[in-house]
Amino acid sequence: MRYGVVMEELAVEVLAQLPDDRARREVMALVEVTRMEPQAWPDVRDPGSVEEIREAFGRRRWIQYMPHPAGAIEVREIGWVG
């Protein structure tokens, strides 16, 4: 069963501003891997926060996301080094 991905507006803007299509493909590949196993990445929420925020990362990219009980992930932030 495939689950969805929701991208916050800021994440969409950052994705559009990445230097080239290769960078966007790398970020989206990380999103896809994360979507398939959202609990595999570390929980980075602030102490006392009720929202579960996790961070997935690769060699030059990272995302912060919130997993949803139904299986979807909500991408909050995207980072790129390169």
Side-chain angles (χ1 to χ4, degrees):
M1 172 180 267
R2 289 184 61 101
Y3 296 110
V5 173
V6 175
M7 302 278 277
E8 288 282 322
E9 186 175 334
L10 180 59
V12 171
E13 289 176 16
V14 170
L15 190 63
Q17 293 174 5
L18 290 176
D20 55 28
D21 286 339
R22 181 183 55 81
R24 282 184 277 286
R25 282 191 303 270
E26 286 186 33
V27 168
M28 291 309 295
L30 179 60
V31 168
E32 181 63 16
V33 167
T34 303
R35 184 191 61 77
M36 295 177 74
E37 286 191 68
Q39 300 301 322
W41 300 93
D43 188 338
V44 296
R45 75 180 102 185
D46 292 328
S49 176
V50 295
E51 288 187 327
E52 179 181 359
I53 303 296
R54 293 185 173 264
E55 188 169 88
F57 42 86
R59 202 173 96 198
R60 294 186 298 187
R61 70 258 189 223
W62 59 267
I63 62 171
Q64 281 192 348
Y65 65 95
M66 186 171 81
H68 289 279
I73 65 170
E74 180 178 339
V75 177
R76 297 281 183 93
E77 293 184 39
I78 293 173
W80 175 264
V81 178

